[in-house]
Amino acid sequence: MSQPEFLPITPEQRLSLIGVFLAIFLAALDQTIVATALPNIVVELHGTNLYAWVATSYLLASTVALPIFGRLAEIVARKWVLLSAVAIFLVGSALSGASTSMVALIVFRALQGIGSGGIFAVGVTVLGLLFPPRQRGRIQGYFGAVFGIANVLGPWLGGLLTDHLSWHWIFYVNMPFGAIAAYFIIVHMPRLQPQTRHRFDYAGASAIAVMTVPLLLALSWGGSSYAWTSSTILGLFALSAVGIALFILAELRNPEPLFVLDMFRGITFRWAMIGSFFYGAAFLGALLFLPLYLVQVQGISLTDSGLSLTPLTLGIVVGSFVTGQLASKLGRYKGLLVVGLLWLTATLYGFHLLLGLHTPLWQIWIVMVLVGIGMGPGMPTYTLAVQNSVPLSRMGQASSGAQFFRQIGSSLGAALMGAVLVSSIQAYIPKYLPAGMHGAQSQFSASQASGAGTASINSTVHKTFQAAERQVTLALAGNAQAYAAVLRSRDIPAAYKAKIPAGGVPAEVRAGFSKARTLIARAMEGDAAAQRAVQANPEIPTQVKALVQNPPKSATVRQGELAQIDAQMQAAEPQAIAQAVREAQSSVRSALGKLERQVTHDLVRGLDEGVTQAERSIFLYAAVLAFLALLFALLLPNAELSHKHQAADHGPKPDPSP
């Protein structure tokens, strides 16, 4: 008699799944829910300089926790390890919500990250222990769907809670759902006790922290906070290399290592780990900066940006769910993974060809769904492959290893695509800067690469022109220091500098008055050329021109008239200076305002082109990474998923002897 395609799920398994999936949903949700609330958090806690650490601390802690909890799930009852991870996550959530400083928030987010890494590592291990290989595909498909839904709900829910309650609630919201998850785990999940006891590898755990933390910091900081060739980044890479060497040495010398390196001798495990690495790089690399393109180029509002990836996420949910169902039905996973990665490579490359400044949004939505469908199969299949290739005693290491390699790949993909974005923007922004304003190039480029978009350009340009206007108006009023600053400035076009006389407008007006006095005196003496110059000067009063045309014969009278004219001119000079300064400053403000609007418009256009070209390159590189994952998927054996439930791992069997 043939085996049924799907064994019935027992009530114990079903109720355990509720607890596991709720925990995984919360851990996945917290990877994205904080992003939309960060601006409010930074303002309230006064920690702009620590902005990035809120996310970085979570990433570092969760990545390091993955292999550690994976090993703990092999030496302690899985039920209590998972419950401990949930408890750590909830304590971190409560403390994060109550934080009153950025430093405290960063520390408690790291605590959350430890719990999150533990939930992912142990949760996936528990799924592998509760279900036989043939059923795992279906269950892992559900896992991918839960993960995808959490990712799309995170930014939206974070914005909703922040706007209508406060940012504290993005952490407090975990408490009731976490309590429900804990209830199902405590009441309904079997203990899943290992059959033998093992020692924990503290040296390996320490070495993996030394290996992972510097590597992730280098990938996070490289090209943004520090140059890739800086001593800081090179030093972090060197420290990570030392950590790798220490980890390998520790694992080879320990009879009960944190991670059994011999597992890499297995064909399935080896190629699945490498494929998972490239899949993670393609996955996050393609997703990370797409919202920037949708907001900046396509004009989606910032309010809706949290939901901008919904079409792609829906595709991931469908692809993951269908792949899981088919894997359980067909009993094999390799073909599904190969087809999925081939589809992903093709759709990512198609996205590269499609994207442009004026691509209709409906076309982008369609391709996003198709890309998501291609991403979906990798979510369940890599975990399914490694779990199917190892004994129950190494289920924790295998499950956490697949996630660990995918996480490292994701970090590398994010670093690579971030460098592509910065490089593209730095190439396009300067093309739209007016001659003489290239001193602003670096700040424009850096601000735009952070994803602030048009708002940042408006702010940066306005600040630049405000500073220029202050210096120019002071220079026009005769301020010598401001005049020197104007001449040194790389943000003020040369044409504007040329219009500012040394000494400012007052010096120019005084020189004009002095020249007029000299001309009038010469004209009064009968100099014909001077008389013509006086008549042509619109600033000289009509009565003076009439007097100069018929100057008195008497030298004494002429001197008296000149003295009166000189007194009148001296009295009028301050008023003339003030009027000339006001007019010059008003003219400059008007001209600079017009130039500011033009520069802003041109830079936004340059940013749009830079972001578009960056996204096109990002999808091309993501397609290459997906293709590399495909090549390693082809090396996997076409292993069968057995109908037979693996031997129970619920604890030592009782001794049958009396």
Side-chain angles (χ1 to χ4, degrees):
M1 178 182 292
S2 62
Q3 292 274 9
E5 290 178 358
F6 300 127
L7 295 173
I9 296 179
T10 66
E12 180 184 67
Q13 289 174 323
R14 183 178 295 108
L15 294 172
S16 297
L17 276 181
I18 294 175
V20 172
F21 281 153
L22 265 177
I24 288 173
F25 177 81
L26 289 178
L29 191 72
D30 252 62
Q31 291 181 342
T32 57
I33 195 173
V34 177
T36 48
L38 264 181
N40 298 68
I41 293 174
V42 168
V43 169
E44 184 172 325
L45 299 184
H46 309 290
T48 304
N49 58 322
L50 299 174
Y51 186 99
W53 275 102
V54 177
T56 302
S57 63
Y58 187 92
L59 171 66
L60 293 175
S62 62
T63 305
V64 173
L66 280 169
I68 293 174
F69 273 88
R71 179 55 177 161
L72 286 173
E74 295 175 349
I75 62 178
V76 181
R78 284 76 172 200
K79 174 178 182 174
W80 304 122
V81 179
L82 179 58
L83 193 62
S84 299
V86 171
I88 292 171
F89 180 80
L90 293 180
V91 170
S93 297
L95 293 174
S96 294
S99 297
T100 56
S101 71
M102 284 293 285
V103 173
L105 178 60
I106 290 166
V107 172
F108 298 140
R109 277 285 285 168
L111 186 62
Q112 253 194 321
I114 294 173
S116 171
I119 288 171
F120 281 124
V122 186
V124 175
T125 302
V126 167
L127 297 180
L129 293 170
L130 286 175
F131 298 92
R134 189 67 172 258
Q135 278 189 298
R136 284 181 200 153
R138 185 160 50 130
I139 302 306
Q140 290 293 345
Y142 294 144
F143 167 80
V146 168
F147 192 87
I149 293 170
N151 275 337
V152 75
L153 281 181
W156 172 79
L157 185 60
L160 184 70
L161 292 173
T162 302
D163 290 341
H164 295 283
L165 295 173
S166 75
W167 65 264
H168 302 275
W169 280 94
I170 66 173
F171 301 109
Y172 293 149
V173 74
N174 294 329
M175 310 309 293
F177 295 103
I180 296 172
Y183 165 79
F184 279 96
I185 294 170
I186 293 171
V187 176
H188 298 290
M189 181 181 291
R191 292 184 66 192
L192 300 175
Q193 182 78 28
Q195 292 187 350
T196 56
R197 295 289 181 181
H198 301 276
R199 291 179 299 174
F200 185 74
D201 179 13
Y202 293 100
S206 301
I208 208 166
V210 175
M211 172 182 73
T212 306
V213 172
L215 176 62
L216 293 180
L217 286 177
L219 293 175
S220 298
W221 290 346
S224 55
S225 301
Y226 302 93
W228 286 106
T229 55
S230 67
S231 58
T232 299
I233 299 301
L234 294 178
L236 287 171
F237 279 129
L239 182 58
S240 179
V242 171
I244 293 173
L246 291 175
F247 178 72
I248 293 174
L249 182 63
E251 301 311 273
L252 291 176
R253 298 180 63 180
N254 194 328
E256 295 186 283
L258 182 78
F259 195 89
V260 179
L261 298 179
D262 281 349
M263 287 194 295
F264 282 100
R265 296 180 184 272
I267 296 175
T268 299
F269 188 87
R270 179 170 64 247
W271 301 135
M273 290 297 102
I274 299 175
S276 184
F277 173 85
F278 286 114
Y279 169 79
F283 185 95
L284 190 62
L287 291 181
L288 194 57
F289 299 108
L290 185 55
L292 174 61
Y293 168 82
L294 294 173
V295 171
Q296 178 63 38
V297 181
Q298 291 293 334
I300 292 177
S301 68
L302 288 173
T303 306
D304 297 331
S305 62
L307 297 174
S308 62
L309 295 180
T310 300
L312 190 143
T313 305
L314 290 176
I316 293 174
V317 171
V318 171
S320 179
F321 178 80
V322 171
T323 300
Q325 297 294 315
L326 288 175
S328 290
K329 182 178 180 64
L330 299 174
R332 297 184 187 274
Y333 57 82
K334 178 179 178 179
L336 297 170
L337 180 59
V338 168
V339 170
L341 291 173
L342 184 61
W343 179 280
L344 179 60
T345 302
T347 52
L348 287 172
Y349 185 70
F351 218 157
H352 158 73
L353 297 176
L354 175 71
L355 275 184
L357 282 172
H358 308 293
T359 304
L361 191 57
W362 66 268
Q363 293 182 12
I364 292 175
W365 293 142
I366 292 174
V367 179
M368 285 175 69
V369 173
L370 297 177
V371 170
I373 291 173
M375 289 179 172
M379 297 289 286
T381 311
Y382 281 115
T383 302
L384 188 62
V386 296
Q387 287 184 341
N388 193 56
S389 68
V390 298
L392 286 178
S393 60
R394 294 183 180 177
M395 186 70 70
Q397 295 179 57
S399 302
S400 62
Q403 297 176 76
F404 180 81
F405 273 81
R406 185 166 62 204
Q407 189 85 315
I408 296 297
S410 296
S411 299
L412 179 64
L416 172 64
M417 305 315 177
V420 171
L421 178 66
V422 172
S423 175
S424 179
I425 290 174
Q426 287 178 337
Y428 276 88
I429 285 288
K431 294 181 180 180
Y432 293 89
L433 284 170
M437 288 193 67
H438 291 284
Q441 174 180 335
S442 59
Q443 59 180 312
F444 286 141
S445 301
S447 63
Q448 295 352 298
S450 69
T454 300
S456 181
I457 280 187
N458 290 337
S459 174
T460 305
V461 172
H462 185 63
K463 289 178 181 178
T464 300
F465 273 85
Q466 269 191 327
E469 181 183 309
R470 283 194 298 271
Q471 296 293 344
V472 170
T473 52
L474 287 173
L476 286 171
N479 187 300
Q481 292 180 339
Y483 179 72
V486 167
L487 295 181
R488 291 193 306 268
S489 175
R490 300 180 62 200
D491 297 332
I492 300 175
Y496 287 79
K497 296 178 182 180
K499 294 179 180 179
I500 304 174
V505 172
E508 188 176 49
V509 172
R510 292 189 188 98
F513 269 81
S514 177
K515 181 179 179 181
R517 291 191 191 96
T518 302
L519 283 175
I520 292 171
R522 286 168 52 198
M524 292 284 282
E525 295 297 329
D527 187 322
Q531 288 176 347
R532 289 193 297 272
V534 167
Q535 298 299 326
N537 191 331
E539 303 296 331
I540 296 177
T542 305
Q543 60 271 27
V544 174
K545 292 180 179 180
L547 180 63
V548 166
Q549 192 171 3
N550 296 293
K553 303 289 186 183
S554 168
T556 303
V557 174
R558 287 199 303 273
Q559 290 299 322
E561 292 290 350
L562 282 172
Q564 290 182 5
I565 292 172
D566 189 59
Q568 292 172 0
M569 292 180 72
Q570 287 181 356
E573 186 176 289
Q575 184 177 355
I577 289 174
Q579 179 66 24
V581 169
R582 283 195 299 270
E583 290 177 355
Q585 291 176 338
S586 176
S587 176
V588 164
R589 290 191 188 98
S590 176
L592 287 177
K594 182 178 179 180
L595 181 60
E596 178 182 343
R597 291 188 293 273
Q598 184 63 46
V599 168
T600 301
H601 175 271
D602 290 344
L603 288 178
V604 169
R605 180 185 171 193
L607 178 60
D608 287 349
E609 290 191 13
V611 168
T612 300
Q613 292 303 317
E615 280 298 318
R616 294 186 76 247
S617 299
I618 283 170
F619 278 104
L620 178 61
Y621 295 141
V624 172
L625 292 169
F627 181 71
L628 292 174
L630 171 63
L631 293 180
F632 287 104
L634 292 172
L635 297 175
L636 291 171
N638 192 23
E640 183 178 1
L641 300 172
S642 173
H643 278 293
K644 185 179 178 181
H645 203 301
Q646 297 185 59
D649 196 26
H650 295 183
K653 295 181 179 180
D655 188 351
S657 61

